[in-house]
Amino acid sequence: NKSHSTCYAWIAYQTAYLKAHYPAEYMAAVLSNNMNDIKQVTFFMEECRRMGLDVLGPDVNESFYKFTVNDQGAIRFGMGAIKGVGGGAVATIVEHRKDGKYKSVFDLAKRIDLRAANKKAFENLVLAGGFDGFGTHRAQYMHDEGDGVKFFEKVLRYAAKYQETQNSSQVSLFGESSDVQIPEPEVPPCEEWGTMKKLKQEKEVVGIYISGHPLDDFKLEINSFCTVKVADFHQIEKLVNREVCFGGIVSDVQHRESRQGKGWAIFTVEDYDDSFEFKIFGEEYLKWRHFLIPNSFIYVRAFVKEGWTNRDTGKQGDPRIQYNSFQMLHDVMDQQAKKLTVQMSIDGLHEKRIKHLQELFSSHKGDKQLHFTLYDLDDKVKLNMPSRKTKIHINKELLEALREEDLAYKLN
């Protein structure tokens, strides 16, 4: 009815206005409202990236319990979204920050209430990147020098001892409080974690990747050469009798053996949006099992067949996947890209640009085809022009240079 639709229209107008004029604040509020639903947080973080908004990881000197906007207009991750970091831990960190930003992890541990921010909260803050701003990397906090005690635990012991000394209020003969100097533990020198390990730990304590995504280096390959997303396999019936290509990271593998002694495997592939558990049997397993390694980046070409029909009941089983080929995502660009088509308006065709493109293509010589598509929007004319002499090597550097020139392109 009208009264109902009017309310929805009014709310739609208000939210659209806020999203248009206060995008960071609006998205921070939306993220905070969905903090307990990790799929929704992932969805809205992707929307933030689409809008060009920076979503920064948690930071003990800037973050609050919920998502907020910092002085630079970027969205700062809420500490309350980290597993094991409760409201009490966040409250004591925020409360004691009012006296000035924390200068180091020792300064923070000395000032906060260690009963509210326990060992688990501290550890998960480390893994989520909450202490990265102190210039000490995560591997150092988690480093064990052989005594079974990690560095962040030594920091907590140091802080507890410091607070105990302060609370004892020992007074000297002259009436002055005695300052007992407790030496700070030494920050252990060790190698920094690789990107994959950092991201994996972030996902364990938050449920999503914060500082990036393992597939960021392969976004171009996935957008250009994948015909379906991993999520599409949840409705596999729609893919029957189709050849499909998909890519992602292998997040889990279980190698099994049948009663007849034949090997098979269950493996989980994850992309930007979702994950799916695949099964592979028989000769296909023997042929492609060397690709099934946790944290490997794979590109799969497969054909979805109809399920077997039961002779007795006449019922058809679930669709089956026939695996035609596996590749590493690293090799896809070189092996799959056969042709590059540069698209440009006739208005943008001037001598300076032509000369620049000549230099660009001559510095990326190879054996792949180069095509141009020129178009005139006013006259509705489009002309396809293959280059007969120039052959190129298609790589990310070349495509990045074309993007900087604001030129659209298509890979085949």
Side-chain angles (χ1 to χ4, degrees):
N1 58 28
K2 284 184 179 180
S3 60
H4 199 70
S5 59
T6 301
C7 293
Y8 272 116
W10 177 229
I11 292 169
Y13 171 78
Q14 288 177 315
T15 52
Y17 178 89
L18 290 169
K19 189 175 182 182
H21 295 281
Y22 302 93
E25 289 80 0
Y26 175 80
M27 291 308 294
V30 170
L31 284 162
S32 296
N33 199 44
N34 291 276
M35 269 173 60
N36 297 323
D37 186 343
I38 212 64
K39 279 201 169 182
Q40 286 291 89
V41 170
T42 306
F43 174 80
F44 289 119
M45 280 185 70
E46 192 57 39
E47 175 65 4
C48 290
R49 293 188 187 99
R50 188 197 65 78
M51 294 167 67
L53 298 172
D54 290 327
V55 181
L56 307 176
D59 186 295
V60 290
N61 268 327
E62 250 188 22
S63 293
F64 290 84
Y65 186 82
K66 293 186 175 182
F67 290 79
T68 49
V69 179
N70 67 9
D71 296 338
Q72 288 75 45
I75 298 172
R76 180 62 79 174
F77 212 88
M79 288 187 282
I82 304 169
K83 294 172 187 174
V85 181
V90 177
T92 186
I93 290 170
V94 173
E95 178 63 30
H96 290 87
R97 197 169 68 198
K98 291 176 183 176
D99 300 327
K101 287 191 173 185
Y102 301 115
K103 297 172 186 175
S104 67
V105 68
F106 303 110
D107 182 37
L108 176 139
K110 285 193 295 186
R111 285 159 62 180
I112 65 172
D113 182 357
L114 295 175
R115 291 168 298 177
N118 59 20
K119 177 182 166 182
K120 191 63 182 174
F122 225 77
E123 181 178 10
N124 287 4
L125 273 168
V126 167
L127 298 177
F131 299 136
D132 287 1
F134 294 138
T136 311
H137 57 76
R138 300 175 205 183
Q140 289 175 308
Y141 289 110
M142 303 303 292
H143 187 69
D144 177 356
E145 292 187 312
D147 53 3
V149 183
K150 294 173 182 172
F151 173 63
F152 84 87
E153 294 176 288
K154 292 178 181 177
V155 172
L156 289 174
R157 289 180 184 181
Y158 156 80
K161 197 171 182 181
Y162 174 86
Q163 290 181 5
E164 188 183 334
T165 305
Q166 292 295 104
N167 294 335
S168 65
S169 300
Q170 294 176 356
V171 179
S172 70
L173 288 170
F174 302 101
E176 295 173 353
S177 61
S178 59
D179 258 345
V180 179
Q181 294 296 322
I182 303 169
E184 294 178 354
E186 281 190 30
V187 180
C190 65
E191 280 190 29
E192 198 168 346
W193 285 342
T195 305
M196 272 303 301
K197 186 167 184 178
K198 278 202 290 191
L199 292 174
K200 189 180 176 185
Q201 300 280 18
E202 284 177 4
K203 188 160 189 182
E204 283 181 13
V205 297
V206 182
I208 57 172
Y209 302 112
I210 305 171
S211 56
H213 194 283
L215 291 170
D216 283 344
D217 290 338
F218 305 104
K219 189 175 276 190
L220 189 61
E221 286 85 345
I222 289 172
N223 291 339
S224 301
F225 302 110
C226 291
T227 58
V228 294
K229 294 181 177 180
V230 167
D232 294 328
F233 287 95
H234 289 294
Q235 295 178 306
I236 196 170
E237 299 80 14
K238 295 180 180 179
L239 304 177
V240 170
N241 294 325
R242 278 182 57 189
E243 185 179 61
V244 295
C245 302
F246 64 95
I249 179 172
V250 179
S251 56
D252 185 54
V253 181
Q254 299 170 46
H255 294 277
R256 304 279 181 87
E257 195 173 289
S258 69
R259 289 178 183 176
Q260 293 79 27
K262 293 181 179 180
W264 63 285
I266 299 171
F267 64 101
T268 304
V269 178
E270 183 181 312
D271 64 7
Y272 279 101
D273 304 306
D274 211 336
S275 62
F276 187 80
E277 192 175 81
F278 295 89
K279 293 177 182 178
I280 185 168
F281 304 91
E283 289 185 13
E284 290 178 358
Y285 169 73
L286 295 174
K287 191 175 182 180
W288 308 116
R289 63 183 175 182
H290 57 284
F291 284 94
L292 305 180
I293 302 167
N295 298 324
S296 62
F297 301 95
I298 61 170
Y299 175 78
V300 184
R301 191 181 292 273
F303 188 83
V304 181
K305 292 182 171 183
E306 291 180 348
W308 299 109
T309 302
N310 189 308
R311 290 180 181 178
D312 298 326
T313 63
K315 288 185 178 179
Q316 198 171 48
D318 294 333
R320 298 170 292 130
I321 300 174
Q322 174 187 299
Y323 298 95
N324 294 334
S325 70
F326 277 68
Q327 279 179 272
M328 300 305 291
L329 267 173
H330 298 82
D331 304 325
V332 167
M333 181 66 74
D334 199 43
Q335 295 178 18
Q336 297 291 330
K338 308 296 182 190
K339 182 177 79 173
L340 172 68
T341 304
V342 180
Q343 302 163 337
M344 66 171 75
S345 167
I346 196 78
D347 298 330
L349 196 62
H350 47 75
E351 193 175 339
K352 186 179 178 182
R353 171 165 277 178
I354 292 169
K355 189 176 180 181
H356 179 71
L357 287 175
Q358 282 177 330
E359 291 172 356
L360 181 64
F361 293 133
S362 65
S363 63
H364 291 86
K365 288 181 180 179
D367 58 355
K368 309 295 183 185
Q369 295 178 39
L370 174 64
H371 286 233
F372 290 90
T373 298
L374 296 176
Y375 57 87
D376 189 331
L377 293 175
D378 295 332
D379 295 335
K380 296 181 180 177
V381 174
K382 188 165 77 170
L383 180 64
N384 295 314
M385 302 171 62
S387 176
R388 294 176 182 174
K389 293 182 180 179
T390 306
K391 300 279 183 165
I392 56 168
H393 174 53
I394 301 172
N395 54 41
K396 289 181 182 177
E397 291 76 18
L398 171 62
L399 301 178
E400 184 60 41
L402 291 173
R403 271 198 296 272
E404 288 176 6
E405 281 281 316
D406 289 327
L407 288 171
Y409 58 83
K410 185 181 177 184
L411 291 170
N412 296 102

